Amino acid sequence: MSSGYTHPSLNTPSGLASVHVKTSARLHMGFFDLNGDLGRRFGSLGVSLDKPCTALTAYPAATITAEGPGAKRALKTAQRIADALNLQAGVRIVLSEAIPEHAGLGSGTQMSLAVGTAISRLYGLNLSLRDIAILTARGARSGIGLGTFATGGVIVDGGRSSETDVPPVIAHADFPDQWRLLLIFDHGRTGVHGSQEVDAFRELPQFPAQSAAELCRYVLMQALPALAEHDLSAFGRAIRELQERTGDHFAPAQGGRYASPRVAEILDFLAGQGVPCLGQSSWGPTGFAVFADVEDAERMLEALQSRYTDEQGIEFLLCKGGNAGAEISVVQELLA
């Protein structure tokens, strides 16, 4: 890896007392080229959310420690970075929030970028997001998480070729301020991840080239123009195409178009109510629906809470799109 960091001594702090990083979850709304016969595979569209979030503060220390929600993952990430860079100094990481793990919301990528950014700032390493992603083995198939960490908003990445290390962001747009997103959690399930995900991509049949071509057209000629014109119906049609075609392709690995039968039932109910944009984020099990304004979203949330009040493990969260990247702040070390 060519990291580009220039700090002369990895053992000397940069004069900072602490670094605080807060980053939010993202929806991965679907891949548009799972065929790859043009030399690039995957390519995806996603959107940054204003919550749930991962928030941490890093302090200089003699050893590497982590505490709070998500501490185990943060500790593993910090140790991996320190080993790769031969960083002799330590870091104390205190987490106040963490995105739910294995829910399809990009928790691992956001944790890696947050920890890597904190360590880089703390010790003046000048690591780019690409550097951190490579060090922590993130962004293998999608650049959505890196894009939302950097800028927020709606991100389209260009997939990967045989020479790609991290899929490049090829389009960025703001998510309309008035639109609202409803997340549907099934806490009784986890999405496909780790070795299961690797096996799934290896064992699934080839995706039809014609379907990939049509999905690329839906992204370029419907989803992105619809965002520019704040046309939720057109945006929803494009997302539904992504969801249905890729969801059916992944069905053998995740047990159906959607990973959670209970989330699938709720999405079917929402579709029957005329909700224009809905689906599953990444491998799920988290589902999502998009509404034109807060009033529509709150009415539907109330109906869902009443309808599914006795469903154990089902939770709903109303949120907005996040049109800014991660929040990063530093505290200078007081001079004696």
Side-chain angles (χ1 to χ4, degrees), residues 11-214:
N11 301 320
T12 304
S14 60
L16 299 180
S18 65
V19 178
H20 179 75
V21 183
K22 183 176 182 180
T23 183
S24 59
R26 60 93 181 108
L27 293 180
H28 189 287
M29 291 181 160
F31 293 110
F32 48 82
D33 191 348
L34 290 167
N35 176 271
D37 62 1
L38 292 180
R40 300 194 74 88
R41 192 177 180 213
F42 303 117
S44 50
L45 184 151
V47 58
S48 180
L49 307 175
D50 70 335
K51 57 185 175 182
C53 296
T54 290
L56 61 85
T57 303
Y59 305 89
T63 59
I64 299 174
T65 62
E67 56 196 83
K72 183 176 180 180
R73 176 173 273 181
L75 181 63
K76 182 178 180 180
T77 299
Q79 289 174 330
R80 182 170 187 158
I81 292 171
D83 289 345
L85 298 180
N86 192 30
L87 182 62
Q88 300 303 310
V91 60
R92 177 187 175 217
I93 300 171
V94 180
L95 297 113
S96 58
E97 302 176 69
I99 299 165
E101 295 184 11
H102 308 313
L105 297 175
S107 62
T109 296
Q110 298 310 306
M111 180 69 80
S112 293
L113 296 178
V115 169
T117 296
I119 292 174
S120 178
R121 292 290 186 93
L122 202 61
Y123 289 100
L125 305 180
N126 296 325
L127 297 175
S128 68
L129 292 183
R130 173 181 169 275
D131 293 335
I132 297 168
I134 295 171
L135 284 171
T136 58
R138 290 291 163 180
R141 275 173 288 275
S142 172
I144 298 300
L146 275 74
T148 58
F149 187 95
T151 66
V154 179
I155 299 293
V156 179
D157 78 67
R160 63 181 303 112
S161 71
S162 59
E163 305 299 319
T164 301
D165 44 35
V166 176
V169 172
I170 58 173
H172 167 259
D174 282 347
F175 191 82
D177 288 335
Q178 71 273 26
W179 292 4
R180 293 294 184 271
L181 301 108
L182 180 67
L183 304 186
I184 308 158
F185 295 98
D186 181 352
H187 296 300
R189 286 181 173 260
T190 58
V192 174
H193 61 278
S195 60
Q196 291 178 301
E197 182 179 9
V198 174
D199 291 343
F201 278 111
R202 184 176 62 246
E203 295 170 4
L204 286 171
Q206 186 176 31
F207 193 79
Q210 181 63 33
S211 288
E214 291 170 0

